[in-house]
Amino acid sequence: MTVMAAEKKLYEMSREERLDYIRKVTRITDGGIEAMLRPLPFEDANRMIENAIGIMSIPMGIATNFVINGRECVVPMAIEEPSVIAAVSNAAKIAKVKGGFIAEADDSLMIGQVQVVGLGNVKHAMTKILRNKKQLLATANSNSRSVTAVDLQVRQLRDKSPNNMGNMLLVELVIDTKDAMGANAINTMCEAIAPQVAEITDGEVVLKILSNYTTRRMVRCRATFDKEQLGGSQIVKRILYAYALAYSDAYRAVTHNKGVMNGIDAVALATGQDFRAIEAGAHAYAARDGTYRSLTSWRRTKEGDLAGGIELPLAVGVVGGVVKSHPTAKFALQILGVRSAKELAMVIAATGLAQNLAALRALSSEGIQAGHMRLHARKFSK
Ligand code: MEV
């Protein structure tokens, strides 16, 4: 897909012109765009959740200028905050000068946890579980056609809470969820093996649930931002000071990462992902060394440009869940042109990195309140 330059800037266009632009750049020929963008009918909402009373609408827009692994794409974002889309489009435009975003994603390996308590000898129980690994995996896999349990691991854990509940065993299924986020399938598998786990260990199974801390399902993205486009080497230096603060101080890191999540959540919401799961995993990862730090990293290159990177656990899906039932989410995935969960994860990571650059650049120059982000973004974006 080639994203053509729009004759007018997107913010100058009418809605119809923007939709025409999307049709052109994505080659979506389907006449159903309007239907896909209509609010969810109440009957659907009522099927989705309990005690439904209406629909909470959030604006959806598109960010432009993204080049990810050499592929140009327009990025749908659902967000209520002004300036976010303009700012991220501007950052993506600057990244484009040096080739855009380079991203990679791990396979979709997730963990499902089965917690066993009341064991006299946890080590002994671990050995017995491992001896029955093949059989447990077979049970897990007999309960799902769409995803595959590829491994099983055991861990001993000691309660660190003030309640002092003692030692416990964790039996963890490692599950390849492929192009699905996978939560339901993982939970089903955990529940399926639980009775066998209890019988083998002679213990009491308590929790049977996926982990949203998906450290085996990471995404990484990097980009270089040209120093002249950023506004000169002084801005590069000031951004590095801003990063120093976000790396070193949790009070700043939380706000820094909030800006990252402006981008990540907006694409996640538009494409029907579980953004609460993404948030929880991202923040745990930000605190992985015991201190809450920036999710992005920044450095100056030999040429004096600004190189940025982001790495985070990210479980998203392009099949199943809301993606299957929500027409707007389907449309958003169509706009993106992603065919796999990995590809979607890479777009989301690139958006988070670009969003962070936009915020840092604005904060390191005139500040946010001057309306800098919006005005500047409009000056640069199509
Ligand atoms: C506002 O939604 C996000 C920012 O506060 C992020 C940041 O401070 O880096 C601008």
Side-chain angles (χ1 to χ4, degrees), residues 31 141 177 211 252 275 315 320 329:
N141 284 324
T177 67
S211 168
R252 172 57 201 156
F275 55 91

PDB file of all heavy atoms in Angstrom, residues 31 141 177 211 252 275 315 320 329:
ATOM      1  N   GLY A  31     -18.104  -0.413   0.221  1.00  0.00           N
ATOM      2  CA  GLY A  31     -18.926   0.777   0.456  1.00  0.00           C
ATOM      3  C   GLY A  31     -19.423   0.883   1.882  1.00  0.00           C
ATOM      4  O   GLY A  31     -20.166   1.798   2.225  1.00  0.00           O
ATOM      5  N   ASN A 141      -4.459 -29.007  25.518  1.00  0.00           N
ATOM      6  CA  ASN A 141      -4.666 -28.850  24.080  1.00  0.00           C
ATOM      7  C   ASN A 141      -5.965 -29.489  23.584  1.00  0.00           C
ATOM      8  O   ASN A 141      -6.485 -29.084  22.548  1.00  0.00           O
ATOM      9  CB  ASN A 141      -3.461 -29.404  23.306  1.00  0.00           C
ATOM     10  CG  ASN A 141      -2.293 -28.437  23.388  1.00  0.00           C
ATOM     11  OD1 ASN A 141      -2.493 -27.222  23.381  1.00  0.00           O
ATOM     12  ND2 ASN A 141      -1.081 -28.946  23.496  1.00  0.00           N
ATOM     13  N   THR A 177      -0.653 -18.205  21.432  1.00  0.00           N
ATOM     14  CA  THR A 177      -2.015 -17.772  21.073  1.00  0.00           C
ATOM     15  C   THR A 177      -2.085 -17.250  19.641  1.00  0.00           C
ATOM     16  O   THR A 177      -3.129 -16.749  19.211  1.00  0.00           O
ATOM     17  CB  THR A 177      -2.529 -16.688  22.046  1.00  0.00           C
ATOM     18  OG1 THR A 177      -1.737 -15.514  21.863  1.00  0.00           O
ATOM     19  CG2 THR A 177      -2.461 -17.145  23.486  1.00  0.00           C
ATOM     20  N   SER A 211      -1.703 -14.785  32.784  1.00  0.00           N
ATOM     21  CA  SER A 211      -0.946 -13.640  33.290  1.00  0.00           C
ATOM     22  C   SER A 211      -0.931 -12.567  32.205  1.00  0.00           C
ATOM     23  O   SER A 211      -0.629 -12.848  31.039  1.00  0.00           O
ATOM     24  CB  SER A 211       0.492 -14.031  33.613  1.00  0.00           C
ATOM     25  OG  SER A 211       1.242 -12.843  33.828  1.00  0.00           O
ATOM     26  N   ARG A 252       8.181  11.680  37.493  1.00  0.00           N
ATOM     27  CA  ARG A 252       8.186  12.092  36.085  1.00  0.00           C
ATOM     28  C   ARG A 252       7.914  10.888  35.170  1.00  0.00           C
ATOM     29  O   ARG A 252       7.198  11.003  34.177  1.00  0.00           O
ATOM     30  CB  ARG A 252       9.532  12.754  35.740  1.00  0.00           C
ATOM     31  CG  ARG A 252       9.739  13.052  34.273  1.00  0.00           C
ATOM     32  CD  ARG A 252       8.639  13.942  33.667  1.00  0.00           C
ATOM     33  NE  ARG A 252       8.618  13.765  32.203  1.00  0.00           N
ATOM     34  CZ  ARG A 252       7.577  13.985  31.436  1.00  0.00           C
ATOM     35  NH1 ARG A 252       6.437  14.440  31.934  1.00  0.00           N
ATOM     36  NH2 ARG A 252       7.646  13.772  30.139  1.00  0.00           N
ATOM     37  N   PHE A 275      -7.251  -2.805  26.465  1.00  0.00           N
ATOM     38  CA  PHE A 275      -6.202  -1.828  26.809  1.00  0.00           C
ATOM     39  C   PHE A 275      -5.855  -1.867  28.297  1.00  0.00           C
ATOM     40  O   PHE A 275      -4.760  -1.455  28.691  1.00  0.00           O
ATOM     41  CB  PHE A 275      -6.597  -0.405  26.376  1.00  0.00           C
ATOM     42  CG  PHE A 275      -7.915   0.053  26.915  1.00  0.00           C
ATOM     43  CD1 PHE A 275      -7.971   0.723  28.119  1.00  0.00           C
ATOM     44  CD2 PHE A 275      -9.082  -0.183  26.228  1.00  0.00           C
ATOM     45  CE1 PHE A 275      -9.189   1.146  28.636  1.00  0.00           C
ATOM     46  CE2 PHE A 275     -10.312   0.230  26.746  1.00  0.00           C
ATOM     47  CZ  PHE A 275     -10.362   0.891  27.946  1.00  0.00           C
ATOM     48  N   ALA A 315       0.207  -7.869  24.407  1.00  0.00           N
ATOM     49  CA  ALA A 315      -0.648  -8.953  23.924  1.00  0.00           C
ATOM     50  C   ALA A 315      -1.847  -8.358  23.213  1.00  0.00           C
ATOM     51  O   ALA A 315      -2.724  -7.760  23.838  1.00  0.00           O
ATOM     52  CB  ALA A 315      -1.105  -9.823  25.096  1.00  0.00           C
ATOM     53  N   GLY A 320     -10.874 -12.976  16.960  1.00  0.00           N
ATOM     54  CA  GLY A 320     -11.569 -13.258  18.227  1.00  0.00           C
ATOM     55  C   GLY A 320     -11.891 -12.008  19.014  1.00  0.00           C
ATOM     56  O   GLY A 320     -11.572 -10.883  18.617  1.00  0.00           O
ATOM     57  N   ALA A 329     -13.890  -1.707  15.133  1.00  0.00           N
ATOM     58  CA  ALA A 329     -12.573  -2.329  15.362  1.00  0.00           C
ATOM     59  C   ALA A 329     -12.117  -3.053  14.097  1.00  0.00           C
ATOM     60  O   ALA A 329     -10.947  -2.984  13.707  1.00  0.00           O
ATOM     61  CB  ALA A 329     -12.649  -3.293  16.539  1.00  0.00           C
TER      62      ALA A 329
END
